[in-house]
């Protein structure tokens, strides 16, 4: 990748895009400005959010709070469908398994990690790296009392310790109906013009009291207008802008086809399950929506990956970089190193994909319990990195959440996952043989799920607390099965670490040195689900002849509802139809900007030059789905909920006057 | 072209798409149904319209009435900008130069024309055809008292006499503000979702009284819904679906580049002129809007023409047809014949384009006066076809219209046109030398226009009435110049007729015989600006990921106004902002259908199975601009104003209650 273009980048807060901001916008953020934004931004489960009041009120997306809403819902009291509003603090409801973190400080420990990894043997180097990272994290945690996590930046060229303050008592305060949170459903997802009230409000508690954060974002009542400079502070999950052409080709030819076929299967399974009854549809709603969302996003990235222009541009960039590579005696070309490692990755791709417990399934919980017990018994050097000491508390917190599992849904999903394993790996594959024996996927899944008590939180807690002994003694069929699968999965994970990750990190370090030499250090690292700063401007665009405005409004919400004659997913709840005439229809609802974002940025606060809150990110447009590989500001846009829409809705539709006052600081 | 696909075709009323309607929709229009629609449909100047009341009320587009609005406007009383509403019959204002026609009957005279054209010599054959057509038209006119015009169908395989009833006293009754008639201006032109109230109401008078047409369309109060079968009766101007690959290549490589470059120049000239003052902008508004419209439509057709897929499909079709060609002894391959004729067309393309008087200019009026005097003095066989006796009344009617010419605008336009001639033909070209002498385009245009009195209708009438003698004696500089240009233009026109048109018509006749042999006669001819029937269904579509509804509504109009913060061309007149709360925002405004339409269809009534009026065509979408060459129902859509929007606006915004009652039959 060449130097960053205008408005490009997911920058770390300790290395903000000062040059680009000054030259593009005549703006230089002060250290205080940056600190205030950083300390107001939070990570919330798998998404982002921000403190917006002195009483610990947190703003995020409806879809980030979706797991909580789903966990708190029952058939007669469906918070997903109906929304939720706690009129008093006492009515605010704890979100099971949700956690929130704030980045307190960071420390560059690159030298220490690199110094520790001495061996030329990949297996030894892997162990050395794991041990060094764990030691640094643990030492930092003991010293600061914070949760310290290592973040690998610039594909192995830098290692930073990120120190977090963590809260685990997060309570739901307000959520609109799902139809408002995701108006237009899957058809409108990633589409603009858009009309989504994709926000929720939560509150952070500590020892039973709402916290009083020192920093929170003040709402900018005047909002944004066309051309305004804006910033987002959030947690972009993962980009691949620095990867080599060999890695891109692997994604295009192997990884994406595998992932997309799998997600298409999963969607079909969930759709068929949902069609059984309205209650089935309710049970599957959260996972179906997130599967559809993932599919649409990933299909867009895959499409971008297959554009010959993208690959040609990446090939050109790589050729330019390779020209400036002068090998030290005996040094292997780092691109060749990565290509070799990627070849090994390709060899194991199918097994690595199919061997496991199933993402976000009950069996997945069982697998985590088995792995947690076994891995934490190992020395730091030998553990799978996902079970490093710093990561254990979050795993335990999530496994201990009292959330509903629906056995009929679990059986349907596991049946689909195991049928996929047969189709991908063949019926004689050791994994398939272990999970199925000579049964059909449906018979095996039914037996394992029906006989399991893992859906009870007390049972999960008992096993977690009992450690290796309890796990070994358990006769719960999902635990028994997970014990069988664990060695297979561990072997594949370790092989990946040693044969793919370690040489790729080493080569990445070399590549970055070449890149820094060519373009200087005014660059940003690929996204790593850690806190980043994006900047850009509010801006409409020309979508192949259709002029897209920089914002939408409530009139547009009703227009789309009317245009489809109120048919789902364009229906509106009765109170929204009743309150139409009370609303100021010109109120801005969503706006678009050139902010560089990606999945994980959902819920990121969007602030103006003054550091005041103007809205929150909830999506990107279809034209931006190639952002995983390359940024463009021509038609790619981030989509935000406008803060004015939130205040208008709270006030005029929901009668949540005190909450509107707390949010808006009035 | 192969057989027509679903919903495809611009069918003549004497050969309706009975098979496709029965198989696709289980509907067979009766003769009465067809007659009632045909006799309600009218051609109005360059567009289409329909009778909608027993008192001669005619519905058409705002943009079809634009010429009238512009002609009736003055700086202090700008009907284009402010709209118009005649509260009484006495206030209804005659539209200068506007004419309206209704198709009374048709007659197939193919045999007579073919029998008359006997010669193998192209020049002689041309004269024979011209004479035969003129004779048939004249004879028909004398016999029926109607205006009879020959229509060449199936590129020369059929000749039909079309018998029209003509009215010349057409009065303006109602027009909304131009901002409503063309909301979103050029950016939104051809775009969907769309929010245009592109309608006007006029009334037909005869001997000072409103006529009482025997047939008119009754308004269908319930409107359309998704999937409804609809029909349009209108005057599609010109399609090229039957042309050969050689002709397509000529369009793509020569004709379109020439036309588009010219229109881009013209737009620039008009924009610069408009920027001089608000009054300049008002003066140029009509021609600028129509230039922009033409440019956008033609750019879309040109884009379609350059798609390799289109040319490949056309090449395949042609290869299929050529396989079934069995030459009679000595017969030249008709495709080769057309290719040779097209080669000659290419030779003269630049001169044929640049040599003339300027479309819709004051000089153009002078040119027409000179040609009218000279051509009508010739025998039918020798005249340029555009001056056939049947066509003279319309030319005289338009030249005699008391419409404003603005000399500063005429100078600016003529300067641009002559500069283009220098650039295209070179400064030594005979045409350039004749119009410029040794002056600059600006000096020559200024002298000619300033010294002319042709802007006075009395002066034009005097010359028309005085015939050849008056034209020869005139010292009006534009007439003097036109007399110089006329021989050059005539020579090019005649050469085109003899060397291109005649062999192409002959070959076309042969090609159609081959095509009928292969596909049968259940086909429709290319559009010829004569009355046609289209059918299709109301249907939204998927525009590359964005789900387009089948209709829009008033909420969407306000949404787009708000989204662009009311900036032009998304501003709304004050009364529209004031009346927002009075309107039912769910009222359908525009709807899309698979109707096969093209320029000239503007204003076509859209009716349902009952033959009742549901709306009127005003545009197609961007995806349909390739319709000149091939129809598709995947994303191409015709866009109509919904009749319910008209009634709602007349009633709630304009207070035009009696007019709403007349329109809606209540």
């Amino acid at each position: 990748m060449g130097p960053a273009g205008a408005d490009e980048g997911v920058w770390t807060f300790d290395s903000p895009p000062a040059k680009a901001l000054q030259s593009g916008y005549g703006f230089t953020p002060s250290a205080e400005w940056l600190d205030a934004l950083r300390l107001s931004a939070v990570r919330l489960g798998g998404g982002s959010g921000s403190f917006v009041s002195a009483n610990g009120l947190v703003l995020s997306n409806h879809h980030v709070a979706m797991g909580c809403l789903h966990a708190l819902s029952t058939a007669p009291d469906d918070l997903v469908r109906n929304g939720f509003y706690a009129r008093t603090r006492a009515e605010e409801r704890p979100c099971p398994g949700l956690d929130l973190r704030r980045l307190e400080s960071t420390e560059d420990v690159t030298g220490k990690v690199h110094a520790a990894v001495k061996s030329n043997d990949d297996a030894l180097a892997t162990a050395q790296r794991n041990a060094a990272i764990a030691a640094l994290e643990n030492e930092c945690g003991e010293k600061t009392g914070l949760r310290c996590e290592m973040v690998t930046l610039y594909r192995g060229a830098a290692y930073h310790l990120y120190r977090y303050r963590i809260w685990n008592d997060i309570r739901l305060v307000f959520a609109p109906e799902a139809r408002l949170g995701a108006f237009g459903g899957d058809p409108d997802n990633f589409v603009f013009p858009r009309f989504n009230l994709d926000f929720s409000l939560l509150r952070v508690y500590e020892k039973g009291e709402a916290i009083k954060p020192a920093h929170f974002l003040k709402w900018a009542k005047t909002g944004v207008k066309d051309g305004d400079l804006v910033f987002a502070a959030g947690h972009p999950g993962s980009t691949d802008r620095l990867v080599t052409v060999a890695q891109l080709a692997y994604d295009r030819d192997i990884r994406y086809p595998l992932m997309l076929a799998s997600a298409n299967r999963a969607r079909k399974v969930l759709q068929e399950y949902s069609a059984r009854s309205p209650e089935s549809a309710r049970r599957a709603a959260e996972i179906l929506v997130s599967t559809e969302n993932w599919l649409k996003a990933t299909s867009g990235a895959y499409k971008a990956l297959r554009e010959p222009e993208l690959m040609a541009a990446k090939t050109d960039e790589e050729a330019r970089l390779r020209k400036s590579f002068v090998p030290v005696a005996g040094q292997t070309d780092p691109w060749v190193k990565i290509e070799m490692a990627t070849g090994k990755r390709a060899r194991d791709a199918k097994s690595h994909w199919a061997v496991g417990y199933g993402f976000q399934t009950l069996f997945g919980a069982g697998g985590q319990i088995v792995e947690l017990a076994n891995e934490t018994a190992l020395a730091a050097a030998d553990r799978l990195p996902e079970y490093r000491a710093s990561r254990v508390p979050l795993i335990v917190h999530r496994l201990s959440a009292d959330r509903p599992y629906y056995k009929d849904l679990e059986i349907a999903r596991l049946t689909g996952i195991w049928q996929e394993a047969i189709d991908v790996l063949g019926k004689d594959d050791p994994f398939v043989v272990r999970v199925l024996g000579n049964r059909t996927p449906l018979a095996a899944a039914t037996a394992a799920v029906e006989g399991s008590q893992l859906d009870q939180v007390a049972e999960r807690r008992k096993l977690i607390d009992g450690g290796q002994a309890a796990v070994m003694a358990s006769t719960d069929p999902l635990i028994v099965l997970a014990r069988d699968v664990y060695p297979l999965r561990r072997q594949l994970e370790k092989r990946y670490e040693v044969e793919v990750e370690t040489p790729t990190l080493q080569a990445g370090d070399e590549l970055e040195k070449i890149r820094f030499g060519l373009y200087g250090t005014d660059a940003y690292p690929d996204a790593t689900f850690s806190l980043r700063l994006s900047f850009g401007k509010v801006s409409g665009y020309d979508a192949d002849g259709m002029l897209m405005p920089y914002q939408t409004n409530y009139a547009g919400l009703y227009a789309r509802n009317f245009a489809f004659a109120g048919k789902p997913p364009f229906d509106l709840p009765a109170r929204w139809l009743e309150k139409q005439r009370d609303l100021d229809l010109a109120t801005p609802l969503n706006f678009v900007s050139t902010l560089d974002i990606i999945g994980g940025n959902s819920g990121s606060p969007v602030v103006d030059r003054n550091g005041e809150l103007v809205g929150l990110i909830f999506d990107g447009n279809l034209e931006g789905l190639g952002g995983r590989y390359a940024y463009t500001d021509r038609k790619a846009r981030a989509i935000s909920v406008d803060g004015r829409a939130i205040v208008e809705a709270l006030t005029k539709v929901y009668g949540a006057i005190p909450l509107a006052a707390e949010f808006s600081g009035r």
Side-chain angles (χ1 to χ4, degrees), chain A:
Chain A
M1 196 186 65
D7 297 0
E8 176 174 349
V10 285
W11 303 78
T12 57
F13 270 77
D14 46 33
S15 184
K19 260 199 236 170
L21 279 172
Q22 187 52 47
S23 69
Y25 297 95
F27 178 77
T28 299
S30 67
E32 293 72 30
W33 189 99
L34 287 165
D35 284 348
L37 179 56
R38 174 174 56 81
L39 292 167
S40 300
V42 301
R43 200 176 102 186
L44 185 69
S48 300
S50 58
F51 286 116
V52 293
S53 92
N55 292 309
L57 194 66
V58 166
L59 173 69
S60 186
N61 291 138
H62 179 272
H63 77 267
V64 169
M66 182 72 165
C68 173
L69 289 163
H70 194 254
L72 296 179
S73 288
T74 58
D77 186 20
D78 188 349
L79 275 52
V80 174
R81 181 187 174 84
N82 304 325
F84 177 80
Y85 172 37
R87 289 178 186 274
T88 63
R89 294 270 170 96
E91 290 177 24
E92 297 178 358
R93 297 182 61 180
C95 289
L98 193 58
D99 72 298
L100 183 142
R101 58 179 61 194
R102 185 178 70 194
L103 180 60
E104 306 291 309
S105 60
T106 66
E107 184 187 350
D108 184 348
V109 292
T110 309
K112 292 181 186 174
V113 176
H114 281 172
V117 184
K118 291 174 189 127
S119 177
N120 286 325
D121 174 82
D122 285 336
L124 260 175
T126 302
Q128 287 167 345
R129 190 179 67 247
N130 284 340
I133 289 174
L136 285 162
E137 284 180 346
N138 295 346
E139 180 195 344
C140 164
E142 280 157 26
K143 206 167 66 189
T144 63
L146 297 169
R147 174 91 47 86
C148 298
E149 290 186 5
M150 191 67 78
V151 178
T152 306
L153 299 168
Y154 298 106
R155 43 184 175 170
Y159 289 87
H160 287 199
L161 272 173
Y162 273 49
R163 304 187 186 111
Y164 295 105
R165 179 77 188 271
I166 311 270
W167 288 275
N168 284 324
D169 185 357
I170 317 301
R171 303 190 188 173
L172 184 66
V173 179
F174 180 90
E177 304 88 340
R179 183 50 77 226
L180 270 296
F183 181 75
D186 187 51
D188 272 14
N189 199 10
F190 296 106
V191 164
F192 191 77
R194 192 75 160 280
F195 312 97
N196 273 18
L197 206 52
D198 192 354
F199 84 100
S200 61
L201 290 162
L202 304 102
R203 198 183 303 279
V204 181
Y205 281 76
E206 201 167 52
K207 296 177 190 154
E209 294 292 328
I211 68 162
K212 306 269 183 191
H215 292 273
F216 63 90
L217 297 175
K218 192 167 160 272
W219 182 51
K221 193 186 173 185
T222 50
V224 286
K225 55 182 194 313
D226 204 8
D228 277 1
L229 170 64
V230 286
F231 301 84
H235 300 78
S238 166
T239 53
D240 288 312
R241 295 182 188 167
L242 299 177
V243 299
T244 69
V245 170
Q247 289 171 304
L248 287 176
Y250 169 80
D251 276 7
R252 184 191 60 195
D253 301 335
I254 297 177
R255 188 162 154 246
Y256 275 75
L258 203 56
M259 293 195 304
L260 285 166
S262 179
N264 273 312
R265 272 174 185 275
R267 177 171 56 180
K268 191 154 172 284
V269 164
L270 291 165
Q271 284 171 337
E272 286 169 0
Y273 172 83
S274 297
R276 291 185 195 171
S277 74
E279 172 59 7
S280 295
R282 188 192 70 76
R283 292 178 177 188
E286 185 206 357
I287 183 79
L288 177 56
V289 165
S290 73
T291 301
E292 286 177 335
N293 179 59
W294 188 92
L295 250 178
K296 208 163 176 180
T298 308
S299 301
Y302 182 49
K303 190 177 159 209
L305 203 47
R306 283 176 303 162
E307 297 285 350
E309 291 75 15
L310 177 87
M311 202 55 100
K314 293 284 183 182
T315 305
D316 285 356
E317 276 173 28
E318 189 161 304
R320 208 158 50 238
L321 280 174
R322 283 182 100 140
K323 267 194 205 150
S324 63
F325 171 61
V326 186
V328 185
Q331 188 187 2
T332 313
D333 176 331
W335 289 276
V336 172
K337 235 187 246 179
I338 288 180
E339 198 169 349
M340 286 167 59
T342 305
K344 290 181 180 160
R345 190 176 182 191
R347 177 198 61 201
D348 288 344
K350 287 184 180 178
S351 307
H352 208 176
W353 178 256
V355 174
Y357 318 96
F359 181 64
Q360 288 186 341
T361 61
L362 187 60
F363 187 33
Q368 275 200 308
I369 290 169
V370 168
E371 294 193 347
L372 185 70
N374 285 288
E375 293 292 323
T376 52
L378 298 173
D382 300 326
R383 285 192 201 184
L384 293 175
E386 58 194 283
Y387 293 97
R388 279 210 301 269
S390 67
R391 301 196 170 181
V392 167
L394 179 58
I395 294 171
V396 171
H397 177 60
R398 291 186 180 171
L399 284 172
S400 308
D402 188 6
R403 47 152 290 191
Y405 285 96
Y406 303 103
K407 286 193 167 179
D408 58 346
L409 175 57
E410 295 297 327
I411 291 168
R413 293 184 62 208
L414 211 48
T415 302
I417 289 167
W418 286 345
Q419 184 58 53
E420 181 186 356
I422 296 175
D423 296 341
V424 169
L425 301 175
K427 65 179 178 39
D428 299 327
D429 180 88
F431 169 72
V432 175
V433 170
R434 283 194 196 190
V435 293
L436 296 186
N438 49 11
R439 295 164 304 180
T440 63
L442 175 61
T446 305
V449 173
E450 289 291 7
S452 175
Q453 290 176 25
L454 286 185
D455 58 320
Q456 304 302 315
V457 64
E459 184 64 21
R460 296 197 295 277
R461 278 267 23 141
K462 209 173 67 186
L463 287 163
I464 294 166
D465 295 341
Q468 254 185 318
V471 164
M472 286 307 295
S474 173
T475 56
D476 188 289
L478 285 177
I479 295 292
V480 171
L481 211 52
R483 284 198 312 252
D484 270 0
V485 171
Y486 167 53
L488 294 177
R489 200 183 91 81
R490 185 171 215 286
Q491 185 188 27
L492 285 162
E493 283 297 322
K494 271 289 158 197
R495 197 151 79 179
Y496 173 81
E497 243 194 286
V498 172
E499 299 187 10
V500 181
E501 192 178 18
T502 295
T504 302
L505 283 170
Q506 283 170 345
D509 180 26
E510 293 167 30
L511 289 181
E512 287 299 310
K513 289 194 176 77
I514 297 167
R515 207 165 66 86
F516 288 169
L518 208 59
Y519 299 120
T521 52
D522 195 24
Y524 65 92
D526 259 325
T528 48
F529 201 21
S530 52
L531 188 68
R532 299 296 179 88
L533 179 69
S534 306
F535 69 101
K537 61 179 170 299
V538 174
S539 171
Y541 57 104
D542 185 335
D544 286 331
M546 185 185 297
L547 203 60
M548 291 298 176
Y550 69 95
Q551 59 175 8
T552 64
N553 47 63
Y554 277 125
L557 172 72
Y558 288 103
R560 201 147 169 86
N561 168 263
F562 299 152
F564 288 98
K567 287 189 193 137
F570 303 103
D571 51 322
L572 284 173
R575 66 175 151 196
W576 276 88
L577 294 172
E578 286 155 18
K579 302 281 186 180
Q580 183 212 309
R581 285 181 175 273
D582 297 338
L583 280 169
D584 177 356
L585 296 179
T587 307
L589 178 48
N590 295 158
F591 66 85
V592 282
S593 66
T594 60
L595 283 167
D596 191 356
I597 57 141
I598 202 146
N601 265 120
S602 282
S604 299
V606 180
V607 302
D608 61 16
R609 282 172 191 254
N610 303 321
E612 293 187 344
L613 183 78
V614 292
L616 73 161
I617 297 286
F618 73 93
D619 207 0
N621 63 359
L622 287 169
E623 293 91 333
L625 290 177
R628 168 170 286 272
Y629 301 103
Y631 172 85
T632 157
D633 61 7
R634 208 167 65 87
K635 295 193 284 182
R637 292 293 182 275
I639 316 179
S640 301
V641 180
D642 193 299
R644 289 168 290 188
I646 294 173
V647 173
E648 182 76 3
L650 288 177
T651 311
K652 305 269 184 74
V653 179
Y654 297 108
I657 313 291
L659 189 57
E662 184 180 356
F663 170 78
S664 64
R666 271 161 197 97

